Amino acid sequence: GNSVTQMEGPVTLSEEAFLTINCTYTATGYPSLFWYVQYPGEGLQLLLKATKADDKGSNKGFEATYRKETTSFHLEKGSVQVSDSAVYFCARSPNTGNQFYFGTGTSLTVIP
Amino acid sequence: ETGVTQSPTHLIKTRGQQVTLRCSSQSGHNTVSWYQQALGQGPQFIFQYYREEENGRGNFPPRFSGLQFPNYSSELNVNALELDDSALYLCASSIGLAGVIGELFFGEGSRLTVL
């Protein structure tokens, strides 16, 4: 099948803590992988992406590495800030057709 | 560069009514996709429009329909509204068909509440 599974939330961390949000995918072939972020009351914004195996996407201190052998794309940040509080969605592109597949989202709250 | 804009931002309808949601794609983008995001869920693909024609459809009934105009803007129409149609409707634009390396640029969404 074609799906994306991500760690269920909600996740609550103290400021400057280390963050990991797990994401695994199923696909035939080698899709591109994405992390989108949704701040309260807003649409989705692209956070980072990787287009092939072993690529590392990074942005705003967040990183994720495309692992073909484990079909994973885990999101990490070394030191979270209060402003990182949002819902994070893992997604994969279509191999054929047009449908992007999204995980169910992981809500992150960072407390001072 | 103008981003993706959607209207209205919020609306309330009653069961059985019809609704039209509108989307202007990002400058230079010729493809528009619509997604439904139910509360606490990830976005689900409704359909995509490219060159004014539907180009792929997700698991949604025919009462969900759409249009794309020559300027690449798009409408999503939902007839015979049901309570379960309450959701955030997201429009996303992209350059060409959203292929392997394409990415989606989202608007802020239209939040529909069906009573």
Side-chain angles (χ1 to χ4, degrees), chain A residues 39-50:
Chain A
Y39 297 102
E42 298 185 12
L44 276 69
Q45 302 175 25
L46 179 67
L47 179 60
L48 54 84
K49 68 178 181 181

Side-chain angles (χ1 to χ4, degrees), chain A residues 97-99, chain B residues 32 45-50 53-58:
Chain A
N98 325 88
Q99 180 174 353
Chain B
V32 172
F45 177 71
I46 303 175
F47 43 55
Q48 182 184 82
Y49 277 83
Y50 175 66
E53 292 190 359
E54 186 179 294
N55 184 58
R57 187 179 186 92

Side-chain angles (χ1 to χ4, degrees), chain A residues 26-104:
Chain A
T26 59
T28 53
Y30 306 105
S32 294
L33 302 173
F34 305 84
W35 277 99
Y36 280 85
V37 58
Q38 187 175 34
Y39 297 102
E42 298 185 12
L44 276 69
Q45 302 175 25
L46 179 67
L47 179 60
L48 54 84
K49 68 178 181 181
T51 59
K52 61 183 188 296
D54 299 325
D55 266 3
K56 178 185 285 188
S58 61
N59 185 28
K60 300 180 181 179
F62 290 89
E63 293 183 340
T65 301
Y66 190 139
R67 302 286 188 199
K68 186 178 67 173
E69 62 276 11
T70 54
T71 61
S72 65
F73 193 55
H74 304 321
L75 182 68
E76 296 182 338
K77 187 174 185 181
S79 176
V80 293
Q81 305 300 312
V82 172
S83 57
D84 294 327
S85 298
V87 181
Y88 292 81
F89 292 92
C90 186
R92 59 164 282 256
S93 66
N95 289 59
T96 60
N98 325 88
Q99 180 174 353
F100 273 60
Y101 297 89
F102 289 84
T104 55

Side-chain angles (χ1 to χ4, degrees), chain B residues 9-105:
Chain B
T9 55
H10 296 82
L11 69 167
I12 300 173
K13 293 285 188 178
T14 56
R15 203 167 38 179
Q17 285 189 311
Q18 179 266 344
V19 68
T20 297
L21 307 178
R22 296 178 174 82
C23 171
S24 293
S25 62
Q26 183 163 315
S27 177
H29 289 186
N30 56 10
T31 303
V32 172
S33 303
W34 287 93
Y35 285 78
Q36 180 196 66
Q37 186 181 11
L39 195 62
Q41 300 298 312
Q44 298 293 315
F45 177 71
I46 303 175
F47 43 55
Q48 182 184 82
Y49 277 83
Y50 175 66
R51 291 184 174 177
E52 301 178 50
E53 292 190 359
E54 186 179 294
N55 184 58
R57 187 179 186 92
N59 189 27
F60 281 82
R63 59 189 185 83
F64 285 77
S65 64
L67 288 172
Q68 186 181 33
F69 301 99
N71 66 354
Y72 309 132
S73 66
S74 177
E75 286 183 357
L76 165 65
N77 299 290
V78 186
N79 294 322
L81 284 168
E82 301 177 359
L83 297 180
D84 285 349
D85 296 333
S86 296
L88 181 67
Y89 288 85
L90 295 166
C91 172
S93 72
S94 56
I95 299 172
L97 299 173
V100 173
I101 61 172
E103 64 183 80
L104 302 176
F105 295 80

